[in-house]
Each structure stands twice: as C-alpha cells, then as structure tokens.
C-alpha cells in the first residue's frame, strides 16, 4: 500500500479525503497536478491545470479537488501522462481516454487541437481492448489484450518504433513486434520499452544518454532486444520526465540505465533497490510517480491492530471488570502477559537517579515492585479465586480511570483529560507501572492552565481523600506528584495557586494536603 501523503501536493487534502483514495497519480512539470480515484470509484483532479491537463473543461487551476464526471464509475485500470502534459488512461473495459496538450497529435484524435476534457481514442483502437497505456514527453503508446502495441504522436527520434521518424496523428500498430506477445509497455522522455510474456525486453527511440541499454548512444527506429544475458525480466519502468530506464528480474534484482544523476549509463547497472519505483523516487526530477499508484487498504490487521480492536469486546473476552455498575471486557491472557513483566532495568535506573522523596526507600520499592507484579500475574493462576471468576469487582478507582488503565494494556496509549489522569497516575503508582506513570505526568503537565489549575488541585485532593478512606498508607502517591506538576508547569499557574494563601489549614494532616499547603504558602 502506498502512502500518498509522501507527495507534497496531497497535503492540500483533508484527512477524510486522503482516507477515501484508492488510486492516485502525481504529474506535471513540477509535480503540481494530481488525479485520484476514491473507494466509490469517483475521479477527482486538482492542481495547476497547465495545458488543460486536469480535463475539467476549462483552463482554471484549483486547490480544491474537482470531480471528473465523465470518468466516474469507469473503473480506471491504467493511467499515464506526458510532458505537455497530456494524459491517457484505459478502463477495465479496454476503452482509452485522452486529454491535455496535443501539439504533436499525442491525443490520437487526428488533430493538434488541445483536449480540454476526456475524449475516447477511437481510430484503430475502437475494436481493441486496451489493457495498458504509456506516455512519453510528446508521444503515446497503447498495449492491447492480444499483445499488440500501438503508437502515435511525436516520432522525431523513432520512439514509436515504426522504422521511421515521421509523426503519427492516430494510433498505428508497431509491426516489428508482430512475432511476440507484449505484456508491458512504458515510455521515457523520447524512448520506449516493451516486455514480452517470455520475459524478453525490447527498446527503441532516443539514446542520447544510453537509455536504450544497448551499450552505445545511437538512436533506434525499431525495437531491439536488450539485456540478453540477464535473467528473465518481470517488470520494466520509465518516466516521461527522465531519460532513465529500469527493470526488475525474476530473482528480484533491479537494474537501471540511461541518465543517472548526470552520468550516462549505457548498459543496465545492478542497483541495491528492491523495486523499480525506488529508482525514480531517487533519480526523477520532479518527484512524480511513473505509474498509477494503488493505495488499496490491506484486508488484514497487524497483531497490534488486532489487539486494539479486541479491547472491551464481549464476543471474545473471557473476563469482565465491573466498576461503578459498568462492565469492561478483557482477556486474561493479555493481562497476564502485560502485568507479569518485571522491568528490573527501570527499577535500577530509578535507584541510580532518585533525587526526590516521592517514593519509598528504593530497596523497599524493589521488593514491593516484584510482589505487586507477581500479584497481578498470579491473579489468574489456578490457586487464586479470581481465576475462576467471570466478573471482578473494582471499587478503588473510577470507571474512566480503570478503563483507561486496561485500554493502555492493550494499546500502549492513554487518552484521558488531565483531571482523570491524576487518578490514573495514582493507579500507576500503586501498581508500579512506571511507563504509565510517566505518560500520566506528561498528560497532566501538558494540560495545566490557569483556567483549570483549581479543578486539577481539587481532583488531586479528592483522590487523596478517597485513598485515606480506603485505609491506604499515604506517601509517594500519584496525587502528590500531580500537585508538584501543577506548580511546576508554568509560573502563571504557581502564582495563581499562591494567591490561595487565605485557605484554612487542612483539617487533617495528609501528605498531599500538607504538600499543597506548604507550596501555596
């Protein structure tokens, strides 16, 4: 699957528009025009519209995609474009359409009149089912389902393969290829390549930079067999804007020749690339795509994507947590894997870098860390009652907090407002989930403003009160960390809280209340 976002012109589209794209092509003298097909088989174009190459019926450029009604529902199979630019495409029904620049009759309509909208190419192709089209700078080629090749347009360098250099107003069959069945056809700026069903490669046309791969720089008016001593060729590539050729063999080797970064390579050169697209991604100027790109979405999900999808899924879950009367569906195997990991490296790092008093003695923490992780890992062993349960009640934490915690175990991400992140920070501290604790700290720190500082402070106090009511021993709690973050985020927040000096002394001496009281004083 290709990511069209790599092409700058597609940054003009919204995420929703990009998500709908199934096929796309970037073209134009500066890669400033684009055509794409959506999942509903609608065709859109946008960009500069030089020489009416967008086919919208006018010469107006557009930053907003315009629909080409004439092509919607046609099921585009192949698309190519020239330097004019002119555009050719064929549909799954084998029909060829053309529009754009026509100074050399490259539209194949028998005239040199510019095409402002897509029109069908009929002469000599009307009874043919065309499976592929290719455009050079100012010439056009078409491949029929029966293996026949047709060419038209500019032929000053013999790029049509007709044995002469006369221009053609309408499609003409390349007779020199009558004895072979061609499977693929591509065009460079002024040369053409053809690949047969037997893996044989033919080339003809301009050869100033060695783009024919014949070992010399002589133009050819008719097709010549090249790469004779190489293994079977399975794909060929060329681009109208370059004098470069590329081929991929059955063994996965990619060769390139012609104009390569200013050098003339007259014989196919073995590269380290894995596909022919890489040749033009690295050597083409401008960075246009040499063929219609497929962005079909994959039918399968990765393991990580599947795991995310199955969170809170009643269909596959084998355990439910009930919090505040609501259920969260999970899988015991996932919880055992995630909660049973003892991250000794993190404990060691904290032992070396501990500079504050927010945690108990490190030696004690190491002991507790091991015990707590073993507690959760062992929860679903056969000798624990929880292993036999289908529903586990949780009353220490709120539903949003515990759901966010369980979802984190499936996705490695946290999506909570700062107010709830304080509660999740307390949970992470209690469960010794160091990475989760850091994520919560980041959320709280990033979300603190003068407007919400008071509500965050109140949330921290509320969670501290709940902890005290449950009989938990205070010290090194997530609320205390949240309080520190509240006052360290930015000077304005600290100043705001320090204006609360008229607050009465806390009625009970809890660490969080004393901590805040000292800071605001």
């Amino acid at each position: 699957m290709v990511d069209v976002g790599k092409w700058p012109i597609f940054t003009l589209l919204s995420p929703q528009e990009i998500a709908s794209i199934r096929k796309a092509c970037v073209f134009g003298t500066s890669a400033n025009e684009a055509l794409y097909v959506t999942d509903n088989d609608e065709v859109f174009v946008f960009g500069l519209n030089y020489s009416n190459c967008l086919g919208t019926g006018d010469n107006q450029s557009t930053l907003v995609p315009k629909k080409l009604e004439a092509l919607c529902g046609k099921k585009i199979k192949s698309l190519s474009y020239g330097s004019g630019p002119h555009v050719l495409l064929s549909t799954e029904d084998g029909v060829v359409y053309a529009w754009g620049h026509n100074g050399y009759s490259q539209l194949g309509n028998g005239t040199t009149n510019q095409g402002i909208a897509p029109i069908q190419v009929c002469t000599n192709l009307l009874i043919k089912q065309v499976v592929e089209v290719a455009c050079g700078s100012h010439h056009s080629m078409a491949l029929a389902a029966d293996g026949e090749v047709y060419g038209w347009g500019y032929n000053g360098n013999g790029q049509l393969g007709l044995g002469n250099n006369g221009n053609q107003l309408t499609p003409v069959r390349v007779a020199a290829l009558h004895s072979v069945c061609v499977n693929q056809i591509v065009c460079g700026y002024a040369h053409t390549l053809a690949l047969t069903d037997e893996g044989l490669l033919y080339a003809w046309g301009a050869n100033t930079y060695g783009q024919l791969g014949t070992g010399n720089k002589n133009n050819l008016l008719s097709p010549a067999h090249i790469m004779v001593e190489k293994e079977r060729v399975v794909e060929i590539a060329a681009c109208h804007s370059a004098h470069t050729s590329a081929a991929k063999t059955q063994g996965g080797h990619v060769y390139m020749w012609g104009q390569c970064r200013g050098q003339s390579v007259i014989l196919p050169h073995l590269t380290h690339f894995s596909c022919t697209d890489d040749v033009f991604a690295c050597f083409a100027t401008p960075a246009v795509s040499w063929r219609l790109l497929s962005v079909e979405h994959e039918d399968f999900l990765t393991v990580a994507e599947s795991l995310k999808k199955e969170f809170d899924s009643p269909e596959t879950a084998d355990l439910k947590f009930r919090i505040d009367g609501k259920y969260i569906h999970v899988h015991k195997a996932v919880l055992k894997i995630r909660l049973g990991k003892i991250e000794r490296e993190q404990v060691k790092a904290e032992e070396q870098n501990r500079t504050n008093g927010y945690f108990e003695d490190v030696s004690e923490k190491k002991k507790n860390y091991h015990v707590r992780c073993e507690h959760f890992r062992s929860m679903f062993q056969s000798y624990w009652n929880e292993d036999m349960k289908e529903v586990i009640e949780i009353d220490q934490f709120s539903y949003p907090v515990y759901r966010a915690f369980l979802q984190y175990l499936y996705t490695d991400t946290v999506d909570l407002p700062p107010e709830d992140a304080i509660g999740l920070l307390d949970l992470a501290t209690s469960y010794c989930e160091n990475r989760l604790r850091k994520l919560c700290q980041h959320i709280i720190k990033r979300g603190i403003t003068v407007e919400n500082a008071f509500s965050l402070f109140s949330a921290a106090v509320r969670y501290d009160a709940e902890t005290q009511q449950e009989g938990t021993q205070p010290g090194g709690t997530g609320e205390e960390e949240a309080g520190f973050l509240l006052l360290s985020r930015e000077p304005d927040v600290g100043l705001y809280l320090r204006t609360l000096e008229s607050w009465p002394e806390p009625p009970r001496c809890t660490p969080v209340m004393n901590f805040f009281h000292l800071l605001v004083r």
Side-chain angles (χ1 to χ4, degrees):
M1 185 176 73
V2 177
D3 179 11
V4 296
K6 293 179 180 179
W7 275 264
I9 191 170
F10 279 103
T11 59
L12 294 170
L13 304 187
S14 68
Q16 293 76 17
E17 289 171 321
I18 290 179
S20 71
I21 295 175
R22 293 299 174 267
K23 295 181 180 180
C25 188
V26 180
F27 59 99
T29 55
S30 299
N32 44 22
E33 280 107 3
L35 178 149
Y36 65 88
V37 184
T38 70
D39 45 14
N40 294 325
D41 202 27
E42 293 180 324
V43 181
F44 291 87
V45 291
F46 63 104
L48 187 59
N49 202 19
Y50 189 75
S51 297
N52 304 101
C53 65
L54 295 184
T56 54
D58 56 47
N59 59 1
Q60 301 298 311
S61 60
T62 176
L63 296 179
V64 179
K66 289 185 177 181
K67 186 185 295 187
L68 287 186
E69 295 287 357
L71 298 178
C72 291
K74 299 292 186 181
K75 298 187 182 302
I76 296 174
K77 183 176 183 178
S78 174
L79 184 145
S80 189
Y81 49 91
S83 301
H86 71 289
V87 182
L88 287 183
L89 66 81
S90 63
T91 68
E92 290 187 2
D93 293 331
V95 179
V96 178
Y97 293 88
W99 67 93
H101 189 266
N102 196 33
Y104 298 93
S105 299
Q106 56 264 50
L107 299 186
N109 57 14
T111 74
T112 56
N113 299 327
Q114 204 144 275
I116 62 174
I119 56 172
Q120 185 176 347
V121 181
C122 297
T123 305
N124 294 333
L125 294 181
L126 192 60
I127 61 173
K128 292 290 181 179
Q129 183 178 11
V130 175
V131 295
E132 189 171 43
V133 292
C135 295
S137 175
H138 296 92
H139 74 287
S140 303
M141 306 295 294
L143 173 62
D146 58 8
E148 294 182 347
V149 177
Y150 292 80
W152 62 96
Y154 185 72
N155 193 34
N157 299 287
Q159 52 263 59
L160 297 184
L162 304 176
N164 59 59
N165 55 7
N167 297 347
Q168 297 295 321
L169 302 181
T170 56
V172 177
R173 183 186 173 192
V174 181
L177 295 173
H178 69 89
S179 61
V180 298
C181 180
V182 177
N183 272 355
Q184 187 187 358
I185 189 88
V186 295
C187 296
Y189 185 87
H191 73 287
T192 306
L193 304 177
L195 179 64
T196 73
D197 58 351
E198 295 181 345
L200 305 179
L201 177 55
Y202 291 84
W204 62 93
N207 198 27
T208 306
Y209 302 94
Q211 58 264 47
L212 298 185
T214 56
N216 58 55
K217 296 184 179 181
N218 301 324
N219 292 357
L220 292 177
L221 302 181
S222 298
H225 184 197
I226 66 169
M227 289 185 68
V228 178
E229 298 179 358
K230 307 294 183 184
E231 61 182 324
R232 181 188 181 98
V233 177
V234 296
E235 183 180 76
I236 54 176
C239 182
H240 76 90
S241 61
H243 306 283
T244 307
S245 303
K248 184 176 182 178
T249 66
Q250 192 171 29
H253 300 108
V254 174
Y255 292 84
M256 71 181 214
W257 61 97
Q259 189 178 37
C260 303
R261 293 285 177 90
Q263 298 185 54
S264 296
V265 181
I266 61 175
L267 286 171
H269 173 73
L270 180 62
T271 73
H272 66 276
F273 296 128
S274 59
C275 66
T276 55
D277 294 286
D278 293 343
V279 173
F280 296 91
C282 295
F283 288 92
T285 303
V288 294
S289 49
W290 71 270
R291 59 179 168 182
L292 184 65
L293 300 173
S294 174
V295 286
E296 299 285 350
H297 288 295
E298 303 287 359
D299 294 332
F300 63 89
L301 298 175
T302 65
V303 173
E305 290 169 338
S306 299
L307 200 60
K308 291 179 182 180
K309 185 178 179 182
E310 292 306 316
F311 171 68
D312 203 11
S313 172
E315 290 78 14
T316 60
D318 57 0
L319 177 67
K320 291 185 287 186
F321 284 93
R322 185 164 66 186
I323 308 101
D324 300 335
K326 301 176 183 178
Y327 290 99
I328 305 172
H329 301 81
V330 294
H331 307 78
K332 293 180 182 179
V334 174
L335 301 188
K336 283 196 287 187
I337 293 171
R338 288 304 309 265
L339 294 176
K341 182 179 180 181
I342 304 174
E343 301 172 287
R344 300 185 186 277
E345 293 80 4
Q346 291 188 14
V347 174
K348 183 177 180 181
E350 290 205 18
E351 181 179 6
Q352 294 173 344
N353 299 317
R354 184 168 60 93
T355 58
N356 56 60
Y358 302 134
F359 295 98
E360 63 268 33
D361 180 77
V362 174
S363 59
E364 184 68 19
K365 178 181 178 182
K366 290 169 71 176
K367 180 180 70 175
N368 290 344
Y369 191 90
H370 177 82
V371 170
R372 286 167 181 165
C373 286
E374 283 299 311
H375 170 84
F376 280 95
R377 187 187 68 81
S378 303
M379 177 180 285
F380 305 114
Q381 301 297 328
S382 59
Y383 51 83
W384 277 65
N385 291 333
E386 282 81 353
D387 185 57
M388 305 300 295
K389 291 183 178 179
E390 294 184 358
V391 179
I392 296 178
E393 299 279 353
I394 299 292
D395 55 11
Q396 302 99 316
F397 303 99
S398 67
Y399 174 82
V401 166
Y402 212 78
R403 190 180 195 281
F405 169 59
L406 294 175
Q407 189 170 23
Y408 162 76
L409 298 180
Y410 280 74
T411 66
D412 280 326
T413 60
V414 175
D415 184 18
L416 277 180
E419 292 80 2
D420 287 329
I422 293 175
L424 188 57
L425 178 60
D426 180 47
L427 182 151
T429 303
S430 299
Y431 288 4
C432 293
E433 284 282 336
N434 288 344
R435 182 177 179 274
L436 178 59
R437 182 167 56 81
K438 291 175 182 177
L439 285 175
C440 293
Q441 290 172 339
H442 178 70
I443 292 172
I444 297 169
K445 196 170 185 179
R446 185 181 57 186
I448 295 173
T449 64
V450 171
E451 289 75 15
N452 70 4
F454 180 78
S455 63
L456 290 179
F457 173 82
S458 300
V461 173
R462 183 181 73 253
Y463 280 110
D464 180 69
E466 291 173 356
T467 301
Q468 294 300 311
Q469 291 172 3
E470 292 161 8
T472 304
Q473 290 297 321
T477 64
E479 299 82 41
E480 211 165 287
E481 289 187 67
F484 176 76
L485 290 168
L486 286 174
L487 294 174
S488 64
R489 172 65 174 86
E490 54 182 279
D492 288 344
V493 174
L495 179 62
Y496 173 73
L497 289 176
R498 289 185 180 92
T499 62
L500 305 177
E501 292 181 355
S502 59
W503 283 12
E505 191 73 19
R508 53 188 174 81
C509 296
T510 66
V512 168
M513 294 299 289
N514 283 334
F515 181 72
F516 273 101
H517 182 71
L518 290 173
L519 286 176
V520 300
R521 290 296 183 190

